[in-house]
Amino acid sequence: MQMNVNGAEIFFDVVGAQLMPAGDELAARPTLLVLHGGPGYDHTTLRPYFDRFADVYQVVYLDHRGCGRSTAPQETWHLDQWADDVETFCAQLGIENPLVFGQSFGGMVAMHYAARHPDHPAKVILSSTAARFLLDETVSVATRLGGDRAGQVARDFFTTPTLSGYDLYAEVCLPLYNRAPAEDGAAYRTWAIQRPEVTVHFFENEMMEMDLRASIAAISCPTLVLGGAEDPVTPARCSEEIAAAVGANARLEIFEGCGHGVHRDKPDEAEQMMRAFLAQ
């Protein structure tokens, strides 16, 4: 399904009903809004894993503007707009106080949205993401996991992002992202629509100078910060910085033996933790 949101055509998909029979009534279920990473990938990178939450929640996926099946002018590809799209998207669909999960870039969008609209989300889960990009830390972890070439490829791509550098990074560094094979193999990457021009644009114009630490102190809802101890792109220190910046509303959980997206390396443990947090 597609809907115009702030001048962008936003694609979204829904798993599970909002209203479910409960005795003689129909009970409304909370909405879990799932925000994908990238930017440049689409929501299918998080499927089918998060479909399982449709037993309790209405699960809503969207493709951020410019990503996947969503379109928008290039000049609107920036974090303020991506964050405000979340609030407008919910308003237009009548979603109140959503539970929001953000993975990687989606976590950047989620935390920026929650800081700009602190009364809007009920809870936020920030998974393998960063309030600022730690280049030296990223290169260090990539080198430890993949050797000097991986570290150099990472440094070159993030320092001077190009489309050719994107292809080389995907070849050399993406295989280092996770320690265990995904439940669905490599399907989540083969399914996805990739738009590397969005990735390069964001890295060139915003991500390398981004620092959200001061602003995310405004997040007022309960926030679960998930990180992998062996994440080569948003290292565990990034998760620690987010939790420290959010303050008393944040809970930090670092998973040993996990890389980028703990739900991929330890799916059962991650599910158990997220369900407990969302249900509290």
Side-chain angles (χ1 to χ4, degrees), residues 80-150:
D80 286 353
Q81 187 63 70
W82 279 310
D84 289 346
D85 283 348
V86 174
E87 191 274 340
T88 304
F89 174 83
C90 290
Q92 291 181 196
L93 287 178
I95 299 172
E96 297 181 358
N97 303 123
L99 306 164
V100 181
F101 172 90
Q103 163 68 21
S104 192
F105 163 75
M108 299 173 192
V109 175
M111 74 177 86
H112 198 44
Y113 143 79
R116 288 167 71 86
H117 306 278
D119 296 330
H120 200 261
K123 293 182 180 180
V124 173
I125 301 175
L126 304 174
S127 170
S128 295
T129 188
R132 60 172 180 151
F133 191 74
L134 302 177
L135 178 61
D136 289 342
E137 189 86 3
T138 292
V139 170
S140 176
V141 178
T143 300
R144 176 167 57 82
L145 295 176
D148 290 342
R149 182 166 185 251

Side-chain angles (χ1 to χ4, degrees), residues 158 160-162 199-209:
F158 290 119
T160 309
T162 63
T199 310
V200 170
H201 176 84
F202 179 59
F203 289 2
E204 277 186 325
N205 294 282
E206 196 161 9
M207 190 180 77
M208 300 309 292
E209 302 300 324

Side-chain angles (χ1 to χ4, degrees), residues 1 3 5 10-14 33-37 41-44 46 59-65 67 69-70 82 85-87 89-90 93 109:
M1 295 176 282
M3 178 173 67
V5 177
I10 299 297
F11 177 88
F12 67 99
D13 208 348
V14 178
L33 184 62
V34 181
L35 304 181
H36 69 81
Y41 278 96
D42 67 6
H43 77 281
T44 63
L46 296 172
V59 180
V60 178
Y61 299 91
L62 62 79
D63 290 356
H64 303 289
R65 66 171 55 222
C67 301
R69 296 160 183 81
S70 295
W82 279 310
D85 283 348
V86 174
E87 191 274 340
F89 174 83
C90 290
L93 287 178
V109 175

Side-chain angles (χ1 to χ4, degrees), residues 28 45 47 55 74 78 87 96 98 103 107 119 122 128 135 143 146 149-150 176 192 215 237 240 244 264-265 272 274:
T45 56
R47 297 192 69 184
D55 64 341
Q74 182 174 345
H78 56 82
E87 191 274 340
E96 297 181 358
Q103 163 68 21
D119 296 330
S128 295
L135 178 61
T143 300
R149 182 166 185 251
L176 307 175
S215 65
R237 185 178 157 208
E240 293 166 357
R264 291 175 179 144
D265 285 324
Q272 183 179 15
M274 288 189 285

Side-chain angles (χ1 to χ4, degrees), residues 22-37:
D24 296 333
E25 300 178 342
L26 287 175
R29 303 194 305 167
T31 296
L32 174 61
L33 184 62
V34 181
L35 304 181
H36 69 81

